[in-house]
Amino acid sequence: MPAPKSVDPTASLAALLGARIRRLRRAKGWSQTELAAKGATSQGRLAQMELGRETPSQTVCQLLDQALDADGELLALWAHIERTPYPDWSRAFMRFEQRATRMRKYMAATVPGLLQTESYVRALLTAARPSVGGALESLVRARLERRVLLTGESPPYFWAILDESVLRRPIGAPEVMREQLTYLLHMQETERVSLQVLPFSAGVHPALGGSVTVLSFDRRPDVAYLESSHSGELIDDPEAAAGYGLAFDQLHAQALSPHASAAMIRNVLEGSYGVTRVSRRRRRSVAQEQLQQHAGWGLRRGPRRPARPGSDT
């Protein structure tokens, strides 16, 4: 049997939480399977938690805290993690994202973060992270500030394939979705953004497991990133990342054309949200509102996109 993987508890808060869970579990003499049963989770997910690759939900963390007699220690760590703008596992990805010349994304459930409107971000975070409380504004600000990658100077080519459910699942009030879908139509008209919709009729496809991002660079191989609601994994191995690039190409072949995708977005706006016509003037107005909101956050112009280094590492 291979030796258990070790985790550096100083690497991140998630790693520290995982190391504490593992230490307390071993002190009890329990296997991962035994503790998972007490924590209403699976052995596989518990293993990822102990490695700092996944953060438990509040309910699971509370059950683990009680089972391990941690006296609130695990819950306290969880609360700190929950209030950080981005999970530990996504930060390495975002460093690569800053240097990418091309981004390819398949989104299974939500609009890509770089294309989200403020009201959509707020509704999404309120539902997905209800315990953030007073930290909500800083989380919203952090999410919106990332959009400068596409609206600032020298943006990368951005190619997103959205599952049809992204358009049809209501996030927030109807006006939130009206604004968000209108903003997608505007961004699709910009020079470096391409949007496609993968319709339900496409059936089985290579990315049913979750959302996938493939980043390309000037001077290094591609990097892939796999993400679900509670975990993410950076794929830095060139051969493995190339495999996800191939999967994206297959999705592209199954997706609607950009023109047909825009037509579907308009159909959803009309059928679900009562918008009979989205004029170019209205699309530009929504885009301008997004730039003007929270001007104090520097979103109108945003910081300059960092110059790409001579070599990507």
Side-chain angles (χ1 to χ4, degrees), residues 21-146:
I21 292 173
R22 174 178 284 186
R23 177 177 60 80
L24 292 171
R25 173 180 63 79
R26 288 177 170 174
K28 292 280 190 182
W30 294 339
S31 67
Q32 288 180 337
T33 301
E34 289 172 315
L35 178 57
K38 300 175 188 295
T41 188
S42 67
Q43 181 275 329
R45 299 197 74 167
L46 180 63
Q48 293 300 301
M49 293 174 202
E50 290 191 354
L51 291 172
R53 296 176 180 172
E54 181 171 334
T55 302
S57 67
Q58 184 177 19
T59 299
V60 170
C61 190
Q62 186 171 14
L63 290 172
L64 293 175
D65 194 282
Q66 292 171 351
L68 294 168
D69 297 319
D71 196 26
E73 178 186 9
L74 301 183
L75 274 173
L77 276 173
W78 177 89
H80 283 294
I81 294 170
E82 189 70 4
R83 284 167 172 76
T84 56
Y86 295 104
D88 295 311
W89 56 76
S90 69
R91 292 174 187 165
F93 162 73
M94 287 190 289
R95 287 193 290 271
F96 279 109
E97 186 182 56
Q98 289 283 338
R99 302 196 298 270
T101 57
R102 183 172 60 148
M103 301 182 189
R104 290 172 286 170
K105 284 181 175 283
Y106 165 71
M107 299 300 294
T110 62
V111 170
L114 296 178
L115 297 178
Q116 292 174 2
T117 63
E118 181 182 353
S119 59
Y120 187 93
V121 171
R122 194 177 300 279
L124 195 61
L125 290 176
T126 300
R129 303 175 72 172
S131 62
V132 296
L136 177 63
E137 292 306 313
S138 64
L139 295 176
V140 172
R141 180 172 65 250
R143 180 73 61 89
L144 294 180
E145 285 175 345
R146 290 183 60 226

Side-chain angles (χ1 to χ4, degrees), residues 148-163:
V148 74
L149 281 171
L150 297 185
T151 60
E153 297 180 11
S154 302
Y157 289 101
F158 186 85
W159 184 1
I161 298 176
L162 313 181
D163 191 88

Side-chain angles (χ1 to χ4, degrees), residues 102 104 206 212-216 220-226 235-250:
R102 183 172 60 148
R104 290 172 286 170
V212 179
T213 300
V214 180
L215 302 179
S216 299
R220 63 152 292 143
D222 289 355
V223 167
Y225 182 65
L226 315 181
I235 309 295
D236 198 12
D237 176 73
E239 185 175 349
Y244 288 104
L246 178 60
F248 187 91
D249 290 342
Q250 292 176 290

Side-chain angles (χ1 to χ4, degrees), residues 238-306:
E239 185 175 349
Y244 288 104
L246 178 60
F248 187 91
D249 290 342
Q250 292 176 290
L251 292 174
H252 164 56
Q254 293 178 267
L256 301 176
S257 69
H259 180 76
S261 297
M264 177 176 278
I265 294 173
R266 293 189 183 94
N267 287 340
V268 173
L269 275 167
E270 179 177 355
S272 299
Y273 301 105
V275 179
T276 56
R277 181 174 178 270
V278 185
S279 66
R280 178 167 294 184
R281 181 177 180 180
R282 174 56 183 158
R283 296 196 294 273
R284 288 177 177 172
S285 175
V286 168
Q288 188 63 27
E289 288 171 6
Q290 293 304 305
L291 289 173
Q292 291 177 343
Q293 283 171 342
H294 298 276
W297 295 354
L299 293 180
R300 176 181 289 274
R301 296 180 60 187
R304 290 176 60 90
R305 178 179 169 83

